[in-house]
Amino acid sequence: MTVTLPLVLVLGRFAWGAIKFLGVRTWVVVLVALFGFWLSDTFLAPAIESGTRSGVDVINGTHD
């Protein structure tokens, strides 16, 4: 049986948990999210996407 879970949902849960249980302020989470959007528009975006895909593949056990 395969269960798919979007990465954005997992990261959203981590952000919610950080705000709720670790005391991270909401503005810090928003600032980090905005930094992510800015970073996706730079030359580093392909490397970040490739690294994220590789990490997800390793976790899923589907790497070559």
Side-chain angles (χ1 to χ4, degrees), residues 20-43:
K20 181 98 172 148
F21 300 112
L22 298 177
V24 175
R25 301 198 191 262
T26 306
W27 69 268
V28 173
V29 174
V30 170
L31 187 68
V32 169
L34 289 174
F35 179 70
F37 280 110
W38 174 78
L39 196 59
S40 71
D41 205 26
T42 65
F43 68 95

Side-chain angles (χ1 to χ4, degrees), residues 3-17:
V3 177
T4 49
L5 192 62
L7 186 59
V8 71
L9 182 67
V10 173
L11 294 175
R13 278 294 236 197
F14 279 127
W16 176 81

